[in-house]
Amino acid sequence: MNLIKRNGNHTPGFHRSFFDDIFGRELFNWENNNFSTTSTTLPSVNIKETKDTYEVEVAAPGLEKNDFKVTLDGNLLTISSEKENKQVSEQQNFTRREFSYQSFQRSFELPKNVVDEENISARYENGLLLLSIPKKEEAKQKPPRMIEIQ
């Protein structure tokens, strides 16, 4: 018996793509929720597949590009940040305090022999860390072709 995580927006018989199966397995967050062990929120991640690339968006407002570390070890892509939480002086009287810039780490297993590891790029703009992961030429989906019957 296989256990399959289902989202409420999937219709019966809908088959997820290979990319969803691979990227949907977050190695260190099996419950796939957005809360760390200290109940602070982890940055939300969007991952989409185009015919040429995988695009990863990490929502991390309040951080700077130098706060991030993105590594690729084999086929394990890890996005992390170690932002120091500045101590609040006793003179500041917060009615409500929700900002939390705790260190985080999110890891994703990339499909083997599919991505062009040498050309992965990342940029940070408007509170989003954007990664572009190009596919190898042989992994790109080819348009259908007619096969002549002889």
Side-chain angles (χ1 to χ4, degrees), residues 63-88:
L63 297 178
E64 297 176 16
K65 73 177 189 175
N66 295 332
D67 294 330
F68 294 100
K69 181 176 164 186
V70 180
T71 59
L72 182 63
D73 185 8
N75 64 328
L76 184 65
L77 177 72
T78 302
I79 303 166
S80 61
S81 175
E82 293 187 17
K83 174 106 174 165
E84 288 185 31
N85 206 358
K86 295 180 181 171
Q87 295 297 325
V88 177

Side-chain angles (χ1 to χ4, degrees), residues 4-45:
I4 300 172
K5 181 181 178 195
R6 301 230 186 253
N7 293 332
N9 59 353
H10 290 275
T11 57
F14 177 82
H15 298 287
R16 294 176 1 167
S17 73
F18 174 74
F19 178 73
D20 288 339
D21 288 340
I22 296 300
F23 272 104
R25 296 182 195 134
E26 189 171 346
L27 296 182
F28 302 109
N29 188 11
W30 286 101
E31 295 174 355
N32 202 19
N33 58 29
N34 275 2
F35 294 95
S36 70
T37 55
T38 58
S39 296
T40 55
T41 57
L42 294 172
S44 296
V45 176

